[in-house]
Structure formats: C-alpha cells, structure tokens
C-alpha cells in the first residue's frame, strides 16, 4: 500500500477542480466557467487497491497585484512549502503557454518539485492533441529535463487510469491517512457555503461572481430527520444586492432551489434553507475580511 498528499496546481480555468472531482469520483470542489472559482485549498481523498491519495486542490495561480489574488497565490506557495509527496500540475491544452505558465512552472522548479503533469482538455483530434502536448513539453523542458505526464480529459473522464499510475509511482509505501470511507474532510458549513456560492456564480454575470462570498450564519438539527440552514450571500455594494435577488426575488429563488437540490444529495436530512443577501461594503479591500473569507486567520 502507498499513501501520500498530492497538491494540485494550475492556472485559472485549467480544469483543476473538474479533474479532482473526476479522480475522486465525488464532487469535492465547486465548478464554474468563472475563473478563480476555487478560493481555499480543498481536500479530496481517493482509496484504491494501490493505496490512498489525498488531493489538495488549490486556487488558480494568477499574476495580479490585487490583494485578493495575491492571497490566493500565497495559498499555492504555502501548499508547496508543506513538502507534499507529489504535485499534480494541470495545464490547459486549448491555451498557449505564456508568462503566467512560466511563473507557475518556475515556482515549482524553485521548490525542487518535479510534478506529474496532466495535459488537460485533450478533447481535440489526435493530431491536435499530439501537437499541443508536444508544444507544452518543449515549453516545460526549460524547467525540467524529464517530464512525467499524460493527456487527460477531466470533463470526459479520459486518461485518468494513466494519470493514477504516474501519481502512485511517486508515492512511498505507507498507511492510509484517512479512514477508507472518507472522500473529503470538509466541514458541513464549508460544503454548504461552497454549494450556494457555485449556484450563485453560475447565475450571475460579468464581475459580480468575484464580489460575492457565502456566510453560513446558523446550522441546526431540530430532529434527526431535519437540517435547518440560514445563510447569506454577501456582496460589496448595495447596488449588487438587487442583482442577486432579481426581479420579484426570482434570481435568489433560483439559487436557493438549485442549492437545496444539491444539498439533498449531500445530507440525509430534510433541508430547510433560509437564504438571504446582505452587503459587506468593499470587503475585497479589507485585509481582515479577505483572510476570513479565505480561512487564513
């Protein structure tokens, strides 16, 4: 038996979270078409005949001077400093490698890490995929003399077995780190907040998804069969409040309905979800609030 931690890194929208969900066989990280969806390091646990891998999904690595994005990048750096057993580096074959990719690869190389590379979004023709993989291998050869990687499609769940072979090859023998029936170590409050945030992000436009976070204010079980939740979608400005609520409360109602549907698949109880919207003015410019949202306090 082998066991170990695998930190998952990549640029925003490279498909990290979709890949982690596919590898784990469960929804561990929320997924959205909006870049920078992942805001915290999220653990997903895989138990196989070969052993156990604990995946740590990190925020997308993004070159930016904004304090919020700098904090996200620092989470990636901090995860690498914990000396993981292996690193799963996800690249997007549909995008050209550039300065951001070079900065992330340099960070890994400087840490002395030789990652397993998932050449993701290999949904192209065989010829196009082969060409894109060759281009990335050449680009990354400036950082590593030997590159361990394989094409995958996280969306179509293709190439995952080949990826597991490479990942387990880099792990040492050891006992499982978690009980075999665990697939995540997320708290109920975190899972609830992330599910609500995902449903909100997928129904909001432009920059608004980046302006929200979800706060679970109360979580009660009045009986064994009932779970009562009160949560707030928090925005930065009063004008954004109406955008989340929508005409006659229709948008907020749709978010609540979609969130409740998924929460029912996670929790065995009957769900009562009291969902509201409140303003936390300019929270992304408040260092303390940023650290609270990212769970860095």
């Amino acid at each position: 038996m082998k066991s170990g931690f695998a930190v998952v890194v990549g640029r925003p929208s490279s498909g990290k979270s979709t890949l982690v969900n596919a590898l784990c066989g469960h929804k561990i990280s929320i997924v959205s078409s909006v870049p920078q969806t992942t805001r915290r390091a999220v653990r997903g646990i895989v138990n196989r005949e070969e052993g156990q891998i604990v995946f740590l999904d990190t925020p997308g690595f993004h070159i930016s001077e904004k304090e919020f994005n700098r904090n996200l990048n620092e989470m990636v750096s901090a995860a690498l400093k914990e000396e993981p057993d292996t690193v799963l580096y996800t690249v997007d074959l549909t995008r050209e490698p550039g300065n951001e990719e070079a900065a992330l690869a340099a960070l890994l190389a400087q840490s002395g890490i030789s990652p397993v590379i998932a050449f993701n979004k290999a949904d192209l023709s065989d010829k196009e995929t082969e060409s894109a993989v060759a281009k990335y291998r050449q680009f990354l050869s400036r950082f590593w003399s030997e590159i361990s990687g394989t094409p995958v499609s996280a969306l179509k769940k293709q190439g995952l077995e080949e990826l597991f072979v490479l990942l387990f090859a880099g792990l040492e023998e050891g006992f499982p780190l978690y009980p075999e029936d665990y697939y995540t170590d997320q708290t109920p409050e975190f899972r609830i907040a992330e599910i609500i945030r995902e449903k909100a992000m997928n129904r909001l436009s432009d920059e608004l998804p980046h302006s929200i976070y979800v706060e679970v204010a109360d979580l009660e079980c009045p009986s064994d069969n009932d779970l009562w939740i009160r949560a707030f979608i928090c925005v930065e400005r009063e004008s954004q409040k109406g955008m989340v609520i929508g005409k006659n409360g229709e948008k907020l109602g749709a978010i609540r309905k979609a969130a409740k549907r998924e929460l029912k698949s996670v929790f065995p109880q009957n769900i009562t979800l009291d969902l509201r919207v409140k303003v936390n003015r300019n929270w992304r410019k408040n260092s303390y609030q940023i650290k609270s949202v990212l769970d860095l306090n």
Side-chain angles (χ1 to χ4, degrees):
M1 294 288 289
K2 291 187 171 184
S3 67
F5 282 90
V7 171
V8 186
V9 301
R11 286 191 292 173
S13 300
S14 61
K16 294 183 298 78
S17 296
T18 302
L19 181 58
V20 168
N21 290 343
L23 290 168
C24 293
H26 294 276
K27 186 170 181 178
I28 304 300
S29 298
I30 65 172
V31 177
S32 170
S33 60
V34 179
Q36 295 292 75
T37 298
T38 303
R39 288 179 174 174
R40 297 187 188 180
V42 181
R43 286 180 181 172
I45 304 160
V46 172
N47 292 287
R48 290 169 59 94
E49 185 178 344
E50 305 95 311
Q52 184 182 86
I53 302 180
V54 181
F55 289 101
L56 191 66
D57 186 15
T58 63
F61 187 85
H62 178 51
I63 296 176
S64 173
E65 292 304 315
K66 292 182 178 179
E67 183 179 1
F68 188 78
N69 289 329
R70 288 203 309 271
N71 274 273
L72 294 178
N73 285 346
E74 286 172 8
M75 292 174 67
V76 178
S77 299
L80 297 176
K81 289 177 182 176
E82 290 296 319
E83 298 183 355
D85 300 287
T86 189
V87 170
L88 177 55
Y89 178 9
T90 309
V91 302
D92 179 355
L93 292 181
T94 66
R95 289 191 291 173
E96 293 287 326
N99 293 336
E100 208 162 57
E101 202 76 68
L104 177 54
L107 177 65
L108 293 174
Q110 289 165 9
S111 301
I113 293 170
S114 183
V116 172
I117 299 174
F119 297 101
N120 194 27
K121 303 188 183 180
D123 306 310
L124 313 169
S125 67
D126 291 344
K127 187 175 181 180
E128 289 174 316
T129 296
E130 184 178 336
S131 175
V133 170
K135 182 181 293 185
Y136 262 98
R137 282 186 176 275
Q138 182 178 8
F139 177 83
L140 296 172
S141 65
R142 71 180 78 168
F143 303 99
W144 299 282
S145 58
E146 293 185 13
I147 296 173
S148 172
T150 186
V152 302
S153 170
L155 194 61
K156 295 182 180 179
K157 300 182 180 179
Q158 296 173 346
L160 302 186
E161 286 303 313
E162 293 83 351
L163 193 57
F164 271 123
V165 170
L166 296 176
L167 288 166
F168 273 107
L171 299 183
E172 301 288 338
E173 292 184 0
F175 293 104
L177 303 163
Y178 288 87
E180 289 188 6
D181 57 343
Y182 275 45
Y183 65 89
T184 185
D185 63 353
Q186 299 170 13
T187 66
E189 290 84 356
F190 178 78
R191 300 208 75 186
I192 292 166
E194 287 290 89
I195 288 171
I196 295 171
R197 186 165 70 91
E198 178 189 62
K199 305 313 175 190
M201 290 182 74
N202 290 333
R203 286 164 177 77
L204 301 173
S205 59
D206 301 326
E207 280 295 308
L208 191 54
H210 294 295
S211 300
I212 70 169
Y213 69 92
V214 175
E215 177 184 293
V216 177
D218 204 359
L219 190 62
E220 296 180 10
C221 291
S223 70
D224 291 341
N225 297 320
D226 296 287
L227 179 62
W228 187 83
I229 305 163
R230 184 173 66 197
F232 293 92
I233 298 175
C234 303
V235 296
E236 289 186 294
R237 298 189 297 274
E238 193 68 38
S239 60
Q240 295 171 338
K241 191 173 179 179
M243 297 168 67
V244 177
I245 295 173
K247 186 177 180 180
N248 298 321
E250 291 178 359
K251 186 161 288 186
L252 182 61
I255 294 169
R256 177 187 169 279
K257 185 176 180 180
K260 186 175 178 180
R261 187 183 305 119
E262 185 161 333
L263 288 169
K264 284 182 177 180
S265 70
V266 175
F267 299 97
Q269 299 98 331
N270 298 315
I271 304 291
T272 299
L273 177 58
D274 179 7
L275 185 59
R276 308 180 189 189
V277 184
K278 73 176 183 180
V279 179
N280 185 348
R281 198 170 302 280
N282 296 322
W283 68 266
R284 284 189 297 175
K285 296 181 181 180
N286 183 316
S287 297
Y288 178 82
Q289 187 63 62
I290 288 174
K291 292 184 182 297
S292 177
V293 170
L294 301 179
D295 196 28
L296 299 175
N297 285 329

